[in-house]
Amino acid sequence: MTFMKHCIFSAALLIFLLCPPFFAEDTAEQHDAADTSEDASDSAGVTVLPHLYTYIDAPVAEQRIVYTHDDIEKLHVASVPKLIESAGIQTLSYGAYGNQSAPSIRGFTGSTVKVVIDGVCVNSAQNGTFDFTSLNPDDIERIEIVRGGFTEDVSGEGAAGGVVYITTKKQTLGNNFSADISAKTYFSAATPLDTVSAAFGYSGQFGENTFFKTNLKGTFARNAFPFTAYDDSIKYRKNNQVTDGATDSQLTHFFGNGNSWYVGDTTYDGYKHIPGTETSTTPGIQQDYNNRLAAGFSLPAVLNQFKIDGTVSWQSNNQLYDETSESSTHLLNTVSYTGMAQWYGSSGIKQSLGTAVNVSFLDSTNDGTHSLASGYVKETTKLYAGSVFSASIPVALSFSGENIAVVPKLGLRADLQRVTFVLDGYRMSLFPDMNQLYWKDSGYASGNPDLKPEDGWGGEAACSVHDVFMPFSVSVFSNYYFNKIQWQSTGGKWKPVNVASAFYIGCDVNAAVTLFSRVTLKGSWEWLYNRLLAEGSTYGNMIMYTPDNVGAFSATYDGNPVTVTVEVNYVGRRYTDNSNLFYLEPYVLLNAVVSVQAGKYFSPYIRADNILDTDYESVPDYPMPGISLECGVKAKW
């Protein structure tokens, strides 16, 4: 299916969505459980648009880094991985725009870091990852990064390193249009204009309580940046061209007092030249065709005591590879249901019960044809002793195929006048993905159907100091992980095995302050110590690709009409194998962005990345871009 076909499909979806709502209006009076300051009423006094978040169930023990849509707009990032880096999180990236990139939180990545979009976990059942390239940053209302394996909701269950929660924009009052056009250069004489991107969006009302939004984005990136090769010569990245496009359409209808349902579809098409390592002589072609169709409902104040949410979705992730030596196709379809019911009728106790069920169907050249059922059933009890002490007790039953595990957790919290203390402990349990189990035996790789589930325990102690000049938080965490699954090469053949037990201990520090109502300073730092505990030559060694330190600092001047942000990101030394013989050097990235509100509708901006022109690699033998300059303009009317 081509990108044009996806556009036609989205247009057809729009026509279908404009049909009369199939939910009847419920005008019975209900009492909101939270703020409704943005309510709009008709002439009869019936509330037709309550605040989007009628009831917000604040987590007890989770520590979250939050970026709102306003924060994202000030950064003018071209991709979500860039936004995650700004939060002080390491990303494992295989090149410039459109190449594979995944966050690494507290030394964990892949399927151990869950990605949740609008309440549904979107990690692939085939390889455990998620393609962040398919997300348009302009369509994100809120992104929340939770470090650690303590989660209270069912959608993020199964995380060991953390969860990335993404909420897309739902609705706005009135009719609104937006556009964002940009161009980037890597200062190459051969290709002075490297990347161009254009995004267009519309959000508006159909009647008093029905809202529709749609977004379209396209990017062409040559990715022909200069880099320092292994022999210290300057070369240009070749055969790395990416052409992609994404659409996102959604209809939301409110009925009664805060109740709502939505139907939406998201597509992504990418045609990518994937050159491999810097010494590769056989570049390949990767084609991605992704589609996510979802429908859900939210009943935030049932009988003034319950909040009920549910979402059913179909995700289609299709990848086609065409290389000189061989070609392959990977067609993955997943049908999911995620539902949660929360009871908040008492001031001393709150309870929730949720389930997430996924059925995946895989037809892969390398894995064969398989189906896999997986999911969670999770109950969380929260206890409150006045306004100071609280406890959260989540217990989940997780399953994948024939594997099953009980995952208990406990979180304690104390809210004092200026300090909040958090203490939590949890079990971690992760099942093998389809690639690890089913990869067909060949001359260079083989799956392992005898893999044991990964298992372990973790804990965290944190304190947050607020109502002071510079609010800050400090968190000390530790994980013990055994039966860790890792691909290893033996005799030139790769195979996933349960390599070892592993021990992690670390510390997170975050601080932020706003000065003179204009200048905001933010800083974060993570120190991580980890060791493999398997007998043999790797005993006591650090785990590959995990840095000892990761940090970020940013300063934002939010004036009128000028906004300026300067940010610094640091990633420490990372070993490239578990033998700890070779490592990647630490690196520092300096970025800056300036935007100007030019009149009522337009906002031109300039963003410079890697201003110091640092030569670095996030993954061995995959060079990353040096200095670049992006110029663009956003328009809203």
Side-chain angles (χ1 to χ4, degrees):
M1 184 181 294
T2 65
F3 177 61
M4 182 60 70
K5 289 182 180 179
H6 274 324
C7 292
I8 295 173
F9 175 79
S10 294
L13 175 67
L14 170 59
I15 295 173
F16 169 76
L17 293 177
L18 293 181
C19 295
F22 52 86
F23 280 105
E25 284 286 317
D26 177 9
T27 58
E29 293 187 4
Q30 297 179 9
H31 177 68
D32 287 351
D35 178 44
T36 57
S37 58
E38 297 178 12
D39 289 1
S41 302
D42 62 13
S43 58
V46 178
T47 301
V48 295
L49 179 61
H51 192 281
L52 177 61
Y53 301 105
T54 307
Y55 168 68
I56 302 175
D57 184 21
V60 169
E62 294 177 1
Q63 300 291 304
R64 300 195 176 205
I65 302 172
V66 179
Y67 281 82
T68 65
H69 181 68
D70 289 341
D71 297 329
I72 298 171
E73 280 204 328
K74 293 173 185 176
L75 292 173
H76 294 284
V77 290
S79 63
V80 175
K82 280 291 183 183
L83 176 63
I84 293 175
E85 287 179 358
S86 298
I89 303 296
Q90 177 202 13
T91 59
L92 298 174
S93 299
Y94 289 77
Y97 177 86
N99 289 259
Q100 181 181 344
S101 181
S104 176
I105 304 178
R106 291 184 174 177
F108 293 90
T109 189
S111 56
T112 58
V113 175
K114 298 299 181 184
V115 181
V116 176
I117 300 178
D118 292 335
V120 178
C121 183
V122 293
N123 290 68
S124 168
Q126 182 182 4
N127 54 33
T129 61
F130 173 75
D131 183 9
F132 281 97
T133 306
S134 62
L135 290 176
N136 179 4
D138 291 333
D139 192 38
I140 296 177
E141 181 65 31
R142 185 181 180 91
I143 183 168
E144 303 170 77
I145 302 172
V146 176
R147 288 187 170 112
F150 186 95
T151 55
E152 297 177 349
D153 73 308
V154 68
S155 58
E157 182 57 43
V163 187
V164 179
Y165 292 98
I166 297 172
T167 303
T168 60
K169 289 190 287 188
K170 296 295 189 297
Q171 80 286 318
T172 56
L173 294 174
N175 295 306
N176 302 275
F177 297 88
S178 64
D180 187 355
I181 300 174
S182 65
K184 176 186 288 188
T185 180
Y186 290 111
F187 301 99
S188 167
T191 55
L193 181 61
D194 185 275
T195 303
V196 292
S197 180
F200 302 93
Y202 164 77
S203 62
Q205 292 180 248
F206 301 132
E208 293 180 312
N209 51 4
T210 303
F211 300 83
F212 177 75
K213 63 111 181 197
T214 185
N215 295 280
L216 174 66
K217 182 182 180 181
T219 300
F220 173 76
R222 291 186 178 90
N223 290 331
F225 55 86
F227 68 95
T228 303
Y230 66 95
D231 57 359
D232 292 331
S233 63
I234 302 299
K235 296 184 178 180
Y236 285 86
R237 196 64 163 145
K238 297 181 179 179
N239 302 312
N240 198 189
Q241 182 173 298
V242 172
T243 304
D244 66 5
T247 64
D248 183 13
S249 301
Q250 184 168 299
L251 184 80
T252 303
H253 176 71
F254 288 87
F255 61 101
N257 193 6
N259 303 324
S260 64
W261 57 260
Y262 79 90
V263 180
D265 184 76
T266 301
T267 69
Y268 173 78
D269 288 359
Y271 189 85
K272 308 176 182 181
H273 296 255
I274 304 298
T277 62
E278 65 174 272
T279 59
S280 175
T281 58
T282 58
I285 301 295
Q286 175 182 326
Q287 300 177 64
D288 294 339
Y289 304 116
N290 301 331
N291 187 84
R292 185 170 72 251
L293 179 64
F297 66 89
S298 178
L299 309 176
V302 178
L303 301 177
N304 294 326
Q305 297 192 42
F306 297 94
K307 181 178 186 290
I308 302 175
D309 298 284
T311 301
V312 59
S313 66
W314 165 60
Q315 299 179 65
S316 178
N317 303 101
N318 304 314
Q319 290 186 326
L320 291 76
Y321 296 93
D322 187 8
E323 300 182 12
T324 304
S325 57
E326 68 172 319
S327 299
S328 63
T329 60
H330 309 271
L331 311 179
L332 177 66
N333 289 273
T334 301
V335 178
S336 304
Y337 174 77
T338 303
M340 176 76 75
Q342 302 178 23
W343 174 69
Y344 54 88
S346 168
S347 61
I349 182 172
K350 294 179 173 62
Q351 289 184 294
S352 64
L353 178 64
T355 182
V357 179
N358 311 295
V359 181
S360 300
F361 304 91
L362 176 65
D363 185 359
S364 167
T365 303
N366 299 107
D367 290 333
T369 303
H370 298 277
S371 60
L372 180 68
S374 62
Y376 309 92
V377 177
K378 187 171 184 178
E379 192 275 341
T380 299
T381 299
K382 299 181 182 181
L383 305 173
Y384 299 86
S387 61
V388 176
F389 298 102
S390 56
S392 177
I393 312 172
V395 179
L397 179 68
S398 62
F399 63 93
S400 178
E402 297 179 353
N403 295 308
I404 191 169
V406 177
V407 183
K409 303 176 183 181
L410 174 63
L412 304 174
R413 182 182 181 114
D415 289 290
L416 305 180
Q417 184 176 2
R418 294 181 181 271
V419 183
T420 297
F421 294 98
V422 171
L423 179 66
D424 63 57
Y426 47 87
R427 182 187 180 188
M428 302 177 292
S429 182
L430 188 70
F431 304 119
D433 59 46
M434 288 178 157
N435 275 353
Q436 295 168 340
L437 291 172
Y438 305 130
W439 195 274
K440 288 184 178 179
D441 190 19
S442 66
Y444 69 92
S446 174
N448 184 358
D450 299 322
L451 287 172
K452 299 177 182 178
E454 297 178 299
D455 210 342
W457 294 89
E460 180 175 1
C463 72
S464 298
V465 181
H466 42 84
D467 294 331
V468 294
F469 171 74
M470 179 177 288
F472 67 92
S473 65
V474 179
S475 174
V476 178
F477 61 89
S478 181
N479 297 297
Y480 176 71
Y481 208 49
F482 50 93
N483 291 333
K484 183 177 178 64
I485 298 175
Q486 198 167 65
W487 287 83
Q488 284 194 342
S489 178
T490 305
K493 187 172 183 177
W494 291 89
K495 186 176 182 178
V497 295
N498 295 106
V499 292
S501 300
F503 173 74
Y504 300 76
I505 187 170
C507 178
D508 296 325
V509 180
N510 296 277
V513 63
T514 299
L515 306 174
F516 315 113
S517 302
R518 295 289 187 182
V519 179
T520 300
L521 306 178
K522 293 182 179 180
S524 67
W525 195 268
E526 178 180 291
W527 168 78
L528 179 64
Y529 174 93
N530 63 79
R531 289 294 184 268
L532 289 168
L533 301 179
E535 297 295 337
S537 60
T538 62
Y539 183 86
N541 289 353
M542 287 188 65
I543 301 171
M544 56 193 293
Y545 297 152
T546 56
D548 48 5
N549 289 277
V550 179
F553 171 81
S554 68
T556 299
Y557 169 76
D558 192 1
N560 186 15
V562 178
T563 300
V564 181
T565 297
V566 178
E567 60 180 22
V568 180
N569 301 318
Y570 172 83
V571 176
R573 186 169 68 173
R574 295 134 291 146
Y575 287 102
T576 59
D577 61 355
N578 287 333
S579 298
N580 289 182
L581 298 176
F582 305 98
Y583 61 86
L584 296 176
E585 294 287 350
Y587 62 86
V588 175
L589 301 180
L590 174 63
N591 311 317
V593 58
V594 180
S595 62
V596 180
Q597 187 63 43
K600 184 177 180 180
Y601 302 109
F602 297 98
S603 178
Y605 63 90
I606 299 176
R607 179 179 173 96
D609 284 311
N610 196 359
I611 296 174
L612 302 178
D613 201 21
T614 301
D615 179 35
Y616 74 104
E617 293 177 347
S618 177
V619 176
D621 300 322
Y622 285 84
M624 296 296 292
I627 185 173
S628 67
L629 184 68
E630 181 178 8
C631 300
V633 59
K634 286 188 176 181
K636 294 182 180 180
W637 65 95

